[in-house]
Amino acid sequence: MSKKRKLWSIYLAVPFGIAVIVCLITNYALDRAFTWSLIAIGGCIFACLLLQILINGEKYRLLLLYAAICILTIPYLYLIEMVSNLYLSDPVYWVSGFGAPISIFWLAVLGILVLIRTLAHANVWMMAGLFVLTFYIGEKYTNFKVDELVGTNQSWRLSEHYPVIYFGTAAVFIFIGIVLAAVRYVKGSAVE
């Protein structure tokens, strides 16, 4: 690790350390216990770790960043659930049936998009179009899980009321991506 990266690591770790100490002191001063500060500490550790990966991950930093997010998201949600249930007389266990499935779905979508980008060498416009299409599916799935948790079927869905926003935007992005890919291919063939 270079000296510059080591300095950046330290510079970024110091504010997180200060935030952790302030949260612990404040939480203990107000409640005489460590409760809500655990959520703040978990968030600080999560964010600091991700920044450290971005700084020090070198060639594989994005892959390491994605792996860290995949590994840490669900435990962090369980931490939030545990701490929030300390304040409720009737605890609500929402991570297993709601938070984890939605998180896993979105992490899988992100992973699939990155895999498509890597294997197909798709340009940014095509990827934006694919992201809009997957966001359409993701919005439907997320709202389904919300309705399942709440016990109603009343969540407002942009995908049902205005699907043209998704499909129109995706079509424009994909069209621009195809045109730019074709132009690049024609220029590359003309050079040879």
Side-chain angles (χ1 to χ4, degrees):
M1 179 187 326
S2 71
K3 186 177 180 181
K4 187 176 181 181
R5 286 185 185 191
K6 208 178 273 188
L7 284 174
W8 271 109
S9 294
I10 293 168
Y11 290 151
L12 288 173
V14 168
F16 286 109
I18 293 169
V20 166
I21 292 167
V22 168
C23 286
L24 285 171
I25 292 169
T26 305
N27 189 198
Y28 191 76
L30 293 174
D31 298 335
R32 296 287 181 239
F34 299 112
T35 51
W36 58 264
S37 62
L38 298 175
I39 294 173
I41 291 166
C44 285
I45 291 169
F46 198 147
C48 187
L49 179 65
L50 297 182
L51 284 172
Q52 295 298 334
I53 289 171
L54 281 174
I55 292 170
N56 301 312
E58 296 180 7
K59 183 178 177 183
Y60 298 106
R61 69 177 170 258
L62 293 179
L63 181 61
L64 292 170
L65 183 71
Y66 177 73
I69 291 171
C70 289
I71 292 167
L72 297 174
T73 297
I74 305 299
Y76 185 59
L77 290 176
Y78 275 112
L79 175 68
I80 294 170
E81 178 187 78
M82 180 193 75
V83 172
S84 61
N85 282 336
L86 295 173
Y87 293 97
L88 301 174
S89 57
D90 191 21
V92 177
Y93 300 99
W94 53 271
V95 174
S96 296
F98 180 71
I102 290 174
S103 298
I104 291 168
F105 174 82
W106 283 104
L107 289 169
V109 165
L110 182 61
I112 289 168
L113 288 173
V114 169
L115 189 63
I116 290 170
R117 167 91 168 126
T118 303
L119 296 177
H121 302 290
N123 61 34
V124 173
W125 292 99
M126 284 187 196
M127 293 310 301
L130 289 175
F131 180 76
V132 169
L133 291 176
T134 56
F135 195 85
Y136 171 80
I137 296 165
E139 188 234 357
K140 285 181 149 310
Y141 178 73
T142 303
N143 284 324
F144 168 76
K145 293 305 279 183
V146 168
D147 288 343
E148 190 178 84
L149 179 73
V150 175
T152 66
N153 191 16
Q154 297 179 356
S155 63
W156 191 83
R157 293 175 172 91
L158 180 65
S159 59
E160 288 180 3
H161 295 285
Y162 302 103
V164 71
I165 291 173
Y166 286 106
F167 295 118
T169 305
V172 168
F173 285 156
I174 290 172
F175 177 75
I176 291 170
I178 290 171
V179 168
L180 290 175
V183 166
R184 185 183 309 152
Y185 178 76
V186 168
K187 283 185 178 179
S189 297
V191 171
E192 294 174 6

